[in-house]
Amino acid sequence: MKTQSPSLFQPELVREALKQSFVKLDPRLMVKNPVMFTVELGTAVMLIVSVMVLVTPGAERTQGSAGYNVGIFLLLFATLLFANFAEAIAEARGKAQADSLRKTRQDTPAKVRRKDGSFDVVSSAQLQRGDVFVVEAGEIIPTDGEIIEGLATIDESAITGESAPVIREAGGDKSSVTGGTKVLSDRIVVLVTTAPGESFLDKMIALVEGASRQKTPNEIALTILLAGFTLVFLIVCVTLVPFANYAKATLTVAALVSLFVCLIPTTIGGLLSAIGIAGMDRALRANVITKSGKAVETAGDIDVLLLDKTGTITIGNRRATHFWPAPGVAEAAFVEAATLASLTDDTPEGKSIVELAAQAADGSRLRQRIEGAQLIRFTAETRSSGVDLLPAHGGLRLRKGATDAIRRLVEQAGNPFPTEMQQRVEAVASNGGTPLVVSQNEQVLGVVELQDIIKPGIQERFERLRKMGVKTVMVTGDNPLTARFIAEKAGVDDFIAEAKPEDKMHYIRQEQQAGKLVAMMGDGTNDAPALAQADVGVAMNSGTQAAKEAGNMVDLDNDPTKLIEVVEIGKQLLITRGTLTTFSIANDVAKYFAIVPALFVASIPALQGLNIMQLHSPESAILSAVIFNALIIPALIPLALRGVQYTPVGASQLLRRNLLVYGLGGVVVPFVGIKLIDLLVSVFV
Amino acid sequence: MTSQYLGVAVLFAFAVLTAVPLGRYIARVFQGQRTWTDFLAPLENLLYRLSGIDPAKQMSWKQHLLALLSINLVWFVYAFALLFTQGALPLNPDGNPSQSADLAWNTAVSFLVNCNIQHYSGETGATYLTQLVVLMFLQFVTAATGIAALAVVFEALRQRTTEQLGNFWFFFVRSITRLLLPLCLLVATILVFSGTPNTLQGKAQCISVEGDTVNVSRGPVAAFVAIKELGTNGGGFMGANGAHPLENPTYFTNLVETWAHLIIPFAVVFALGFYLQRRRLGWMIFGTMTVGFLMLLGPTLYYETHGSPALSSLGVDQSLGALEGKEIRFGAVASAFWGISSTIISVGSVNSMHDSWMPVSGAMAQLGMMINAFYGGCGVGVLNFLVYLIIAVFIAGLMVGRTPEFLGKKVEAAEVKIAILIALLHPFLILAGTALATYGYNHDPAGLSGWLANPGAHGFSEMLYEYTSAAANNGSGFEGLGDNTPWWNVSIGVVLLLARYLPIIGPVAIAGLLARKKLVPESAGTLRTDTGTFAVMILAVIWIIAALAFFPALTLGPLAEHFAL
């Protein structure tokens, strides 16, 4: 939440929203929201009646004073504007947030490489998918793309707010670059992966602006429910006409329209779309670009969260903390072999081995020995890496890797895996460490102990998730013993140890078959199928294009804990809708007691007994109810935009609290509000 | 007065105590598990064989509804034909005439939909033949229709994903053979021994204490009354219904008959708990319904036991309560209890004249029917409750931050749409019907003066009550309404049909749609529907959405009367 704006209502946004409030009065737009559309119809009726009362002598006797009719008309008009303003301000805020991101990438010159190898300088807006451009140190990257040649350090602070530069390189899972970020060193060649106007950010802006905003499933269901309520109250009000005639009571059009508008759920009807937009906006403020509103909503339903251990549960990477030589192997020889096997390994683990060894061995002498050696890269399949030294340097085959990988290697060569080492491996693992076994010519030399550091505060976050009913699953390449230790220490519910990419996929499928919704975060191309399979897939912005295409959200911060925030944003969205619906409907109790006696008390004086609020006069009662009904919308805009406070407690407790606050509150507040407004109004009427 | 209160309290407790084991029994019957009534299986098998039915054939929710609606259509034609020609048919010792076309339509529809609104008086408007083979027959099969529809819903709400929801005929036949027939035998036997006649002979002639010769109507009354109450039908053999000394001779028979109309609606709620193996849910629903019942019963008891202040000011002793229109052998409390239980349960039989009730009591009786989901009619009460429950689940589900779920199934747009349409139908039928009638009356009060026995607010209540009773398939009348005219016969018939079948189709469709969905396992984030908090939520939905929609109408009827007292 780095870019949280201090105020909900910045003046320039308010100006824009005010303008939009009038534009949105267009019935063609209004009809999408059945509740507010009927208010618009009521307003039109009141306009006609007001004009009629003003021009027809004698009409005041049957329809009430001109001032009263015009007053009701203006109040209904204000109700419409307030509802439109809520939607407009939510849109304006979302747009402003997206625009500030988009600004970073406008009109940057791009050096496009032509097929013949020459370069053209064009504006970034003219870049097409498939173009290839070159960026050098000190230049701004013109648009999103994938590095196809080279490696560079990049300052992504414009997008993420994070000042530490990051490394991006061709091939692998860190090949994506974002438009608007700055290359600090080196030179990269980038392939444009999105057509102009089609980047995720563009899609998100379109989503917020409403052109491509589609109602989410829950929103559709809620709209149906609200339309149903509106119909019930329409029936109530229309049938009241013959009833009143029977009772010889005269009903003014103003009173009837007021009753109708007050009874239908205008509060939630007016705020509904604002709530949805604000949900996407909150995600954007958390630096998460959502590809649809539905994804945010689904996030609230998530049952299972797949989290990578590294970076999410533990800080950064494991570090080597101890060398454990095998029996009969000199410690110095073991340290040397381990170092040799790690010198060309630029993974954090590898580097940490070299660093630990540097305290014991001479690095430069060792570097000479690996000259010309054949590097064996780590792959997910072999789960080991190492070097084969040149015969001149001893011709050793050095390997380091996971226990089972080295065991296979050693045992296939017919050598034993020493029991002492087996015990050591288990001791290290059960202690939460990761054992890395080093072998030389398929013989075990010893074990390097790597230790994880669990992020402070992560246990509390998992506890929060558990209270929400979300199961957390840690995904790690570690062996089961280590995984269990860390899982228990961090408080996750389950773990996938020695995970291969397809394991994630398998796990997700299994959970989904049991009816659960699964969220995961990923960055690599091999994560793409799982990201696509997951109900909520959050791709890191640094990840590959494939990963970003597969997921339904992109996290600009590349922060693996972001999933937890996303789930909370989703829940908050649904809760805000639910509580405001409850509040809106609960308000009806007081409105009935304000208006119904007022309708009939002139002809049936005995009904004064129903005027439990002791409102001043029928006209003041009706005006007060309509004023309250109008004012409650702007009063609740901040709540709609910020979302209802979400605290992770069990569902029953949450329901009890929200029912108390918004249900009971919704019954009581209008009684007080209407009474107070009536005291004010009675001074004038 | 204390002993009067004690009487109904003991009755209520006894009904709950007997409903729990009966609920377990009902669940076992519909699940095809072993019960002590299995000796009836050969009889059932004979019925299946005669009708060419395979009771093991699984049906989808649509096939269930098709079966239900088509057999109902057959019954309608049958009932109409016999009522229209009854005067010329046998078993008519008193020589009663055939019903007119519009009255036969109204009567056939009204009994077909388990409502039993009667625009005729049983003593003169029906023959023994039609009482037995039309009216009583329909009282059995329509009660069984409602129970069978509920069984389909039970089957659909079991936590699994399926389209196969059991066999309609299996549920239907068993509702009669295993539930209604045994209970009716029990109740009818008690009634016969308590003085209710059961004969095919015509009117009895006797000399009254004043020395006059009177002809007393009689007939197969005990058998008729048993199913009238147990099947929540309510249509009396006699015009005076449960107030008639031969239908309901003593305080004891009054207790038995009250128990009879409570027992199945109570038991099916518990049956839901047993069937779904969620007994807490059963108790939650029962508790919610009971709180709603007490909220209506409380004011009624208060006003009926305190009597009218207008009479008190004339010096009339009202220590026994408001006794106008009540039978002294039952007293104010038992009459109020019967009246409220019979209106919320859609029995609609009366043992006192609701027309004479205090205005607030009359409003409570109408509210009971307007809500129509506190216990409610045989089977259909729970179906109505389910509609409110789905709406409550939806709003409450959002409030806890998840796509709403009920019993592990997501509640989405389609279910919400059906639920709100059904919830909307009820106020629509009542208010639109009453509005049309008042509109007509407003334009020709002189020509339609025969409609209303009372002017002003009470007259309005008479019309409102009639449509309410019809839409709730209740069948009780406020009386005072001249209702045997083409307008009332036809319009009430239309309301009856819509109000019966749509609220069966809706919940069965919802349950059928839910049954098809994937099961979502429960977690700490899942909204639990068997808690007190959720019960409060449902009550709030019922009161604010259903009850308050009638507030303006009630204001012009009973409330205006009340405040004018």
Side-chain angles (χ1 to χ4, degrees):
Chain A
M1 302 261 176
K2 294 175 189 85
T3 47
Q4 182 85 55
S5 63
S7 153
L8 279 179
F9 304 105
Q10 287 164 341
E12 64 269 32
L13 296 188
V14 171
R15 258 194 307 280
E16 170 63 20
L18 280 176
K19 203 180 88 194
Q20 284 298 317
S21 311
F22 285 89
V23 175
K24 285 172 185 287
L25 286 173
D26 185 339
R28 283 167 300 181
L29 299 175
M30 214 69 180
V31 78
K32 285 187 194 162
N33 182 339
V35 178
M36 294 319 291
F37 182 68
T38 52
V39 177
E40 188 164 46
L41 291 180
T43 313
V45 169
M46 278 318 295
L47 177 64
I48 297 167
V49 172
S50 299
V51 170
M52 200 190 76
V53 171
L54 283 171
V55 299
T56 322
E60 291 207 346
R61 245 180 303 120
T62 52
Q63 292 300 329
S65 72
Y68 167 67
N69 278 293
V70 172
I72 296 282
F73 161 69
L74 290 176
L75 284 170
L76 296 188
F77 192 64
T79 311
L80 284 174
L81 289 181
F82 288 148
N84 284 347
F85 179 77
E87 186 179 278
I89 190 85
E91 284 179 4
R93 277 163 55 80
K95 242 191 301 189
Q97 181 74 18
D99 278 342
S100 70
L101 282 176
R102 184 153 57 173
K103 243 175 238 154
T104 57
R105 57 179 65 188
Q106 263 165 9
D107 291 329
T108 322
K111 276 188 281 186
V112 176
R113 190 170 74 181
R114 294 296 169 209
K115 284 200 179 85
D116 56 11
S118 65
F119 291 97
D120 281 342
V121 177
V122 300
S123 159
S124 58
Q126 290 169 286
L127 288 172
Q128 294 297 325
R129 192 200 306 263
D131 283 349
V132 173
F133 61 84
V134 177
V135 199
E136 290 183 50
E139 292 178 348
I140 302 280
I141 298 174
T143 189
D144 294 1
E146 204 161 348
I147 305 178
I148 51 176
E149 283 173 44
L151 168 153
T153 49
I154 294 174
D155 173 11
E156 291 193 338
S157 59
I159 299 280
T160 64
E162 191 65 56
S163 57
V166 293
I167 295 175
R168 297 281 178 261
E169 61 179 315
D173 293 342
K174 306 266 182 209
S175 62
S176 239
V177 289
T178 313
T181 57
K182 188 175 178 185
V183 175
L184 295 179
S185 73
D186 304 285
R187 171 180 186 274
I188 46 174
V189 180
V190 180
L191 174 73
V192 179
T193 48
T194 50
E198 278 182 21
S199 71
F200 295 130
L201 208 52
D202 290 311
K203 283 183 198 157
M204 172 99 189
I205 290 169
L207 219 55
V208 168
E209 278 175 344
S212 69
R213 188 171 71 235
Q214 285 185 325
K215 283 191 176 141
T216 58
N218 277 318
E219 205 177 348
I220 293 171
L222 185 56
T223 307
I224 292 172
L225 190 72
L226 296 178
F229 290 160
T230 307
L231 263 176
V232 172
F233 295 123
L234 186 68
I235 296 165
V236 169
C237 291
V238 169
T239 55
L240 207 50
V241 177
F243 295 174
N245 284 341
Y246 174 87
K248 310 277 186 296
T250 43
L251 278 185
T252 63
V253 174
L256 206 58
V257 171
S258 301
L259 175 66
F260 174 65
V261 171
C262 284
L263 290 183
I264 62 174
T266 47
T267 313
I268 180 66
L271 295 173
L272 190 57
S273 54
I275 295 169
I277 300 165
M280 282 191 279
D281 183 46
R282 275 199 299 281
L284 191 54
R285 267 158 222 278
N287 264 340
V288 175
I289 297 179
T290 56
K291 293 196 205 162
S292 71
K294 185 173 180 244
V296 182
E297 205 174 75
T298 311
D301 285 347
I302 288 304
D303 302 291
V304 181
L305 213 53
L306 253 55
L307 298 163
D308 280 324
K309 184 196 76 178
T310 308
T312 313
I313 296 164
T314 58
I315 292 180
N317 299 294
R318 291 170 294 211
R319 302 193 55 81
T321 54
H322 214 287
F323 292 113
W324 304 101
V329 176
E331 174 147 11
F334 170 52
V335 172
E336 194 175 301
T339 315
L340 279 171
S342 307
L343 272 175
T344 56
D345 178 2
D346 53 4
T347 63
E349 288 92 346
K351 286 180 186 154
S352 79
I353 292 174
V354 177
E355 277 168 34
L356 182 68
Q359 300 155 10
D362 176 7
S364 59
R365 186 179 58 82
L366 293 174
R367 261 180 215 290
Q368 290 171 359
R369 286 188 61 188
I370 60 161
E371 253 168 45
Q374 192 195 347
L375 304 184
I376 312 294
R377 285 209 173 271
F378 177 90
T379 68
E381 298 307 321
T382 64
R383 302 178 62 239
S384 65
S385 64
V387 287
D388 288 347
L389 300 184
L390 287 176
H393 291 136
L396 300 172
R397 293 183 299 281
L398 295 170
R399 294 287 183 279
K400 67 174 174 29
T403 313
D404 57 333
I406 299 297
R407 178 200 295 279
R408 209 180 312 124
L409 195 71
V410 170
E411 284 176 353
Q412 270 171 8
N415 296 323
F417 193 88
T419 28
E420 291 85 351
M421 283 296 96
Q422 183 58 36
Q423 285 159 359
R424 175 59 58 199
V425 161
E426 279 161 20
V428 167
S430 62
N431 205 12
T434 307
L436 212 55
V437 184
V438 179
S439 71
Q440 177 178 305
N441 294 347
E442 292 79 42
Q443 287 196 325
V444 176
L445 281 186
V447 174
V448 182
E449 178 173 354
L450 302 168
Q451 276 290 357
D452 269 308
I453 302 156
I454 291 176
K455 278 193 173 174
I458 199 80
Q459 287 97 333
E460 288 75 43
R461 301 199 82 164
F462 290 144
E463 188 53 38
R464 256 172 101 88
L465 284 167
R466 191 164 305 117
K467 284 193 183 138
M468 287 180 213
V470 178
K471 174 180 163 190
T472 46
V473 181
M474 179 179 84
V475 182
T476 171
D478 294 341
N479 67 56
L481 271 175
T482 315
R484 181 182 307 280
F485 183 87
I486 296 172
E488 273 170 16
K489 211 164 148 198
V492 293
D493 300 310
D494 196 4
F495 59 86
I496 312 175
E498 295 175 348
K500 292 188 280 296
E502 60 267 28
D503 290 344
K504 265 192 207 178
M505 183 77 179
H506 182 68
Y507 196 92
I508 292 173
R509 283 231 176 98
Q510 214 175 3
E511 292 285 350
Q512 283 175 334
Q513 260 156 24
K516 294 183 181 167
L517 295 182
V518 187
M520 71 163 281
M521 195 148 188
D523 53 4
T525 301
N526 54 21
D527 280 336
L531 277 171
Q533 179 73 31
D535 300 282
V536 172
V538 183
M540 297 206 200
N541 196 40
S542 62
T544 60
Q545 193 62 29
K548 287 202 266 186
E549 290 288 348
N552 38 23
M553 293 188 194
V554 179
D555 176 25
L556 298 176
D557 289 342
N558 310 318
D559 172 7
T561 56
K562 197 58 74 64
L563 264 181
I564 301 171
E565 246 165 77
V566 169
V567 170
E568 292 193 359
I569 288 171
K571 287 208 177 284
Q572 209 184 16
L573 173 68
L574 295 183
I575 293 173
T576 308
R577 272 194 209 132
T579 50
L580 288 184
T581 304
T582 306
F583 184 83
S584 187
I585 296 168
N587 276 349
D588 277 3
V589 181
K591 292 173 187 166
Y592 269 117
F593 277 98
I595 299 184
V596 169
L599 291 176
F600 304 122
V601 79
S603 38
I604 313 173
L607 286 177
Q608 187 60 32
L610 271 182
N611 184 7
I612 54 176
M613 279 183 272
Q614 298 295 318
L615 301 179
H616 177 256
S617 69
E619 293 197 344
S620 80
I622 290 172
L623 277 171
S624 306
V626 178
I627 293 174
F628 177 86
N629 192 53
L631 288 184
I632 197 73
I633 295 177
L636 290 175
I637 288 179
L639 188 68
L641 294 186
R642 289 220 174 89
V644 168
Q645 182 74 39
Y646 173 64
T647 37
V649 289
S652 290
Q653 210 181 327
L654 199 60
L655 178 65
R656 207 170 316 140
R657 213 194 47 190
N658 285 338
L659 206 52
L660 204 64
V661 175
Y662 297 94
L664 193 61
V667 173
V668 174
V669 166
F671 272 107
V672 178
I674 292 175
K675 178 68 191 169
L676 288 178
I677 296 171
D678 181 72
L679 288 176
L680 264 177
V681 168
S682 60
V683 176
F684 302 102
V685 179
Chain B
M1 208 57 99
T2 315
S3 57
Q4 287 199 42
Y5 278 112
L6 202 64
V8 296
V10 168
L11 167 69
F12 185 84
F14 181 73
V16 177
L17 279 179
T18 45
V20 176
L22 185 63
R24 184 187 292 123
Y25 165 80
I26 292 173
R28 291 184 70 87
V29 164
F30 288 134
Q31 282 173 313
Q33 292 167 350
R34 269 185 44 201
T35 57
W36 64 271
T37 46
D38 281 345
F39 68 90
L40 291 164
L43 170 71
E44 291 158 1
N45 289 336
L46 181 70
L47 285 172
Y48 296 138
R49 242 196 329 275
L50 287 176
S51 333
I53 288 169
D54 171 12
K57 186 174 160 274
Q58 296 282 314
M59 294 179 171
S60 70
W61 66 268
K62 284 181 188 156
Q63 290 169 318
H64 273 288
L65 287 176
L66 190 68
L68 185 153
L69 294 173
S70 44
I71 189 72
N72 271 261
L73 182 66
V74 172
W75 293 332
F76 168 75
V77 174
Y78 162 80
F80 181 87
L82 262 66
L83 288 168
F84 192 53
T85 57
Q86 63 181 10
L89 298 174
L91 264 184
N92 186 7
D94 297 335
N96 292 340
S98 295
Q99 294 194 351
S100 67
D102 59 316
L103 181 61
W105 144 267
N106 185 283
T107 309
V109 167
S110 157
F111 277 79
L112 180 72
V113 303
N114 191 251
C115 171
N116 301 13
I117 248 180
Q118 292 165 294
H119 289 178
Y120 66 94
S121 223
E123 296 93 326
T124 53
T127 66
Y128 287 175
L129 180 81
T130 48
Q131 293 271 32
L132 283 174
V133 305
V134 176
L135 305 182
M136 230 173 105
F137 167 76
L138 286 177
Q139 289 187 332
F140 271 99
V141 293
T142 59
T145 300
I147 299 170
L150 182 62
V152 178
V153 169
F154 285 174
E155 186 64 17
L157 292 180
R158 279 171 58 192
Q159 292 186 303
R160 64 213 168 114
T161 305
T162 183
E163 298 245 13
Q164 313 272 300
L165 304 176
N167 184 284
F168 180 76
W169 307 114
F170 176 81
F171 295 144
F172 172 73
V173 168
R174 285 194 158 212
S175 299
I176 295 177
T177 54
R178 306 291 182 105
L179 186 61
L180 292 169
L181 274 176
L183 282 172
C184 283
L185 269 175
L186 176 74
V187 170
T189 309
I190 295 174
L191 290 178
V192 164
F193 281 101
S194 303
T196 306
N198 204 43
T199 171
L200 289 179
Q201 288 176 323
K203 287 188 176 97
Q205 213 176 50
C206 56
I207 312 288
S208 75
V209 277
E210 286 102 4
D212 300 332
T213 304
V214 287
N215 290 308
V216 181
S217 291
R218 53 182 178 172
V221 183
F224 196 93
V225 170
I227 185 62
K228 167 188 99 175
E229 299 296 340
L230 279 163
T232 67
N233 292 286
F237 193 91
M238 316 285 189
N241 210 307
H244 195 287
L246 293 185
E247 278 209 13
N248 192 3
T250 64
Y251 188 81
F252 174 68
T253 58
N254 190 62
L255 288 181
V256 171
E257 291 180 21
T258 313
W259 175 85
H261 68 233
L262 294 175
I263 185 65
I264 292 180
F266 279 18
V268 289
V269 177
F270 295 114
L272 177 140
F274 289 111
Y275 202 103
L276 302 177
Q277 293 178 335
R278 287 175 174 265
R279 294 172 60 175
R280 262 186 72 105
L281 182 66
W283 277 103
M284 186 283 291
I285 296 177
F286 185 77
T288 311
M289 290 172 159
T290 302
V291 171
F293 170 55
L294 293 177
M295 286 165 92
L296 297 171
L297 181 65
T300 309
L301 283 175
Y302 176 85
Y303 284 102
E304 292 311 303
T305 52
H306 282 74
S308 167
L311 285 177
S312 295
S313 65
L314 296 174
V316 176
D317 172 31
Q318 294 197 86
S319 57
L320 287 176
L323 286 181
E324 183 199 313
K326 290 193 181 57
E327 298 295 303
I328 195 72
R329 64 185 185 280
F330 307 141
V333 174
S335 299
F337 187 90
W338 172 302
I340 292 298
S341 65
S342 154
T343 41
I344 60 168
I345 284 183
S346 107
V347 188
S349 66
V350 293
N351 73 350
S352 64
M353 293 303 116
H354 294 183
D355 194 30
S356 303
W357 276 15
M358 299 299 295
V360 171
S361 311
M364 293 301 127
Q366 293 189 59
L367 262 178
M369 296 186 284
M370 287 161 173
I371 292 165
N372 206 20
F374 297 145
Y375 311 131
C378 264
V380 291
V382 178
L383 296 184
N384 287 335
F385 191 85
L386 190 70
V387 169
Y388 295 122
L389 187 140
I390 290 289
I391 296 174
V393 158
F394 184 74
I395 301 175
L398 290 181
M399 274 209 281
V400 302
R402 264 175 90 93
T403 297
E405 290 157 22
F406 178 56
L407 297 179
K409 302 297 181 76
K410 285 205 186 303
V411 175
E412 291 163 303
E415 295 80 42
V416 169
K417 194 186 289 176
I418 299 171
I420 191 72
L421 277 176
I422 299 302
L424 189 117
L425 176 77
H426 202 52
F428 172 74
L429 291 176
I430 294 173
L431 292 175
T434 314
L436 284 175
T438 37
Y439 181 82
Y441 186 84
N442 290 342
H443 281 76
D444 188 13
L448 299 177
S449 58
W451 277 17
L452 305 179
N454 303 71
H458 199 75
F460 181 72
S461 293
E462 288 169 359
M463 294 189 279
L464 181 64
Y465 194 106
E466 187 73 2
Y467 280 104
T468 307
S469 175
N473 282 181
N474 183 276
S476 67
F478 208 44
E479 303 312 328
L481 184 73
D483 52 17
N484 187 12
T485 66
W487 164 261
W488 289 100
N489 282 337
V490 174
S491 73
I492 291 292
V494 171
V495 170
L496 285 171
L497 285 175
L498 292 173
R500 166 70 169 184
Y501 294 107
L502 294 179
I504 288 180
I505 293 171
V508 169
I510 291 177
L513 291 174
L514 290 180
R516 279 213 296 242
K517 294 190 186 189
K518 219 158 66 175
L519 188 68
V520 183
E522 264 183 55
S523 75
T526 309
L527 171 78
R528 285 186 50 185
T529 46
D530 55 4
T531 62
T533 316
F534 188 70
V536 171
M537 181 79 203
I538 301 186
L539 269 181
V541 163
I542 290 178
W543 279 103
I544 295 182
I545 300 190
L548 274 183
F550 298 101
F551 183 57
L554 288 174
T555 303
L556 290 173
L559 292 181
E561 246 189 291
H562 169 75
F563 285 109
L565 270 183

